[in-house]
Amino acid sequence: MTDHSIWIVEYGFIDRFPASNLFAAQPNEGHRRMPYCFGVVRSADRVILVDTGFHDPAMHERLALKYGEGNVWADPVDVVRRCGVGPDEVDVVVLTHAHFDHAGRVAGFPRADVVIQSHELEALRTAEARGPRFEFLVRSSQKDLAEHLDGRPSGTVTLARGSHQVCDGVSVLPAHDTHTPGSQIVVVENERDGPWVFAGDNMYSYENVEGLHFDGVLAPIAMSTGSPTRWIDFMDETLSSVGGDVNRLLPFHESRVWERFPSAQHADGLHIAEVSLAGGHDSILRL
């Protein structure tokens, strides 16, 4: 089994994001600082990104107007260099789902093979064809994703149909009809320190799984097109798969990640968390 280094990399944040957008049917939970992140998984001979983030100054401004000033944004193509790799060195991009803040920068990694659930793309195309009345179904989607993937060179896009092994020690599992119709999670199995799961937006916050204010009750995600019941069952199964250790579920919109893992903050205010460090890799927190 191959060991991988794992980092969670922040490329932007919002200081006051309404908690009602994170937790279903919870209108009076105030605000949370919400980072926007992607994952970097690196072995001795491979670099994998879990999601790509986005870079769109117009969207940055729109989010600032909607959720208040104090936001910071950087291009993920530049931020990935903080892990010691350039965009042309990325071998694989795994998309947990098709939303703009997870799939908006795929074109910035032109040499990478892209792995996405076939059902996610099929559902996106179907929803787009239904017209403006059904705009909710595609409101957060990366609008040109299907066309971009169609235009990538042959053999560089993998449409997974359920479980799929990306490489030794890295696989995807379907999370259909939860956050999106064809969501998937990414499982990294390390020989040295066991399994890690990138949950995508099926866990915005640790509180989704540990309970609001950590009361132990599963708190279903908001901004979902799937079923809360399906989500509860899926996340309970996922948590069980890592022995009940919530810290092995890796979120992309949770500021507490900088406290739960060794982390560094760059001069621009953006963070990076070092989840696991494989033998032969230097800590990037000392770079």
Side-chain angles (χ1 to χ4, degrees):
M1 186 183 297
T2 302
D3 276 336
H4 298 81
S5 292
I6 301 172
W7 296 282
I8 298 174
V9 185
E10 183 180 35
Y11 68 91
F13 64 81
I14 291 172
D15 257 339
R16 284 179 54 80
F17 193 80
S20 58
N21 283 3
L22 304 176
F23 312 114
Q26 298 292 339
N28 299 309
E29 286 297 323
H31 298 80
R32 304 288 192 277
R33 178 183 172 117
M34 191 172 82
Y36 287 69
C37 306
F38 59 92
V40 178
V41 179
R42 190 176 187 182
S43 67
D45 58 359
R46 192 181 299 264
V47 178
I48 300 169
L49 293 192
V50 180
D51 294 335
T52 68
F54 80 103
H55 183 66
D56 181 348
M59 179 60 76
H60 300 164
E61 182 177 356
R62 175 183 168 189
L63 291 172
L65 289 172
K66 190 171 184 178
Y67 300 118
E69 299 297 334
N71 307 331
V72 173
W73 298 100
D75 189 340
V77 171
D78 297 327
V79 173
V80 75
R81 299 182 192 277
R82 295 177 179 179
C83 294
V85 297
D88 288 342
E89 297 176 86
V90 174
D91 300 293
V92 180
V93 167
V94 182
L95 299 178
T96 60
H97 59 293
H99 284 174
F100 76 93
D101 57 321
H102 294 258
R105 208 60 183 95
V106 175
F109 303 97
R111 291 189 60 253
D113 295 334
V114 181
V115 181
I116 188 171
Q117 285 288 317
S118 174
H119 185 47
E120 182 78 341
L121 274 189
E122 292 168 0
L124 177 60
R125 294 182 198 273
T126 299
E128 288 176 337
R130 298 183 75 178
R133 187 162 174 247
F134 298 91
E135 187 263 347
F136 173 80
L137 298 175
V138 296
R139 182 174 299 164
S140 297
S141 298
Q142 179 61 26
K143 296 299 189 290
D144 64 349
L145 180 62
E147 290 74 17
H148 172 76
L149 295 182
D150 286 343
R152 285 180 84 92
S154 177
T156 64
V157 177
T158 297
L159 300 180
R161 298 185 181 277
S163 302
H164 172 78
Q165 185 170 11
V166 177
C167 63
D168 183 32
V170 180
S171 58
V172 299
L173 298 176
H176 294 175
D177 299 318
T178 53
H179 180 55
T180 64
S183 285
Q184 61 183 359
I185 61 174
V186 182
V187 181
V188 181
E189 291 274 1
N190 278 345
E191 183 175 7
R192 183 179 64 85
D193 58 8
W196 301 94
V197 177
F198 287 99
D201 278 359
N202 274 301
M203 185 173 73
Y204 296 123
S205 165
Y206 291 122
E207 288 177 87
N208 290 123
V209 177
E210 294 180 310
L212 284 174
H213 311 291
F214 306 99
D215 64 5
V217 180
L218 289 166
I221 54 174
M223 298 190 296
S224 172
T225 59
S227 159
T229 301
R230 168 63 182 142
W231 179 89
I232 287 173
D233 289 340
F234 177 79
M235 288 309 297
D236 183 60
E237 294 165 5
T238 301
L239 184 60
S240 295
S241 75
V242 293
D245 185 354
V246 176
N247 289 328
R248 290 193 169 272
L249 307 182
L250 305 177
F252 284 159
H253 295 298
E254 168 62 270
S255 61
R256 295 182 186 91
V257 75
W258 320 129
E259 303 166 4
R260 297 198 181 191
F261 296 101
S263 302
Q265 184 176 20
H266 290 265
D268 57 8
L270 299 175
H271 296 78
I272 189 163
E274 198 161 78
V275 175
S276 181
L277 197 63
H281 286 166
D282 294 327
S283 172
I284 64 173
L285 304 184
R286 296 194 294 267
L287 291 179

